[in-house]
Amino acid sequence: MTEDNATNVYADHDWITLKEAATQLGVSSGRLHRLMEERYLCSVKYDGDKKMPQAFVIDGEPLAGLRGTLTLLADHGIEGDEAMTWLLTEDDGLGATPVRALQQGRKAPVRKLVQLFAG
């Protein structure tokens, strides 16, 4: 996917800075970075700053199911902008973006989709 395509996909979502994410999660900046290292969350450079979709933080917690999905993507060599773009792109099979499907508690179909995408 080209950078322009990623930018178009990104524009369809609400974003928060890492500082805002740490505040919403009630953690320090260092703890937020550890959560990203452990793949509970991820961020990309967007609009001049490191940010993540607001959808990744739900009621003061990282989005359930995101860690396993990020780990599975990374196991298949998909990280950074490529992983973020995949998570935020509408999928006809899911009838939603993978992030939206995770918000709906549909992690099994999302993980199956990772296998198809990465295979």
Side-chain angles (χ1 to χ4, degrees):
M1 182 167 282
T2 68
E3 188 172 325
D4 287 341
N5 287 344
T7 301
N8 290 339
V9 169
Y10 290 0
D12 291 339
H13 299 273
D14 293 326
W15 292 81
I16 54 175
T17 64
L18 298 188
K19 183 177 181 181
E20 291 167 330
T23 299
Q24 290 182 23
L25 293 163
V27 299
S28 67
S29 153
R31 176 70 181 135
L32 179 67
H33 286 349
R34 280 191 297 285
L35 288 169
M36 289 190 296
E37 287 170 6
E38 296 168 1
R39 295 197 177 98
Y40 283 96
L41 297 164
C42 68
S43 67
V44 293
K45 188 162 187 161
Y46 176 61
D47 203 20
D49 204 358
K50 284 282 229 179
K51 297 181 180 182
M52 69 180 63
Q54 176 65 65
F56 286 7
V57 180
I58 306 295
D59 297 326
E61 297 289 332
L63 175 61
L66 185 59
R67 182 181 191 206
T69 302
L70 289 171
T71 299
L72 192 56
L73 285 165
D75 288 349
H76 286 88
I78 302 164
E79 297 183 276
D81 285 316
E82 187 179 8
M84 186 68 75
T85 300
W86 183 85
L87 286 163
L88 300 178
T89 299
E90 185 83 18
D91 181 83
D92 292 338
L94 288 174
T97 65
V99 165
R100 183 73 184 130
L102 289 174
Q103 288 174 318
Q104 296 167 344
R106 298 188 296 141
K107 70 180 178 183
V110 171
R111 306 265 170 85
K112 187 171 189 165
L113 190 60
V114 170
Q115 299 285 350
L116 295 172
F117 174 68

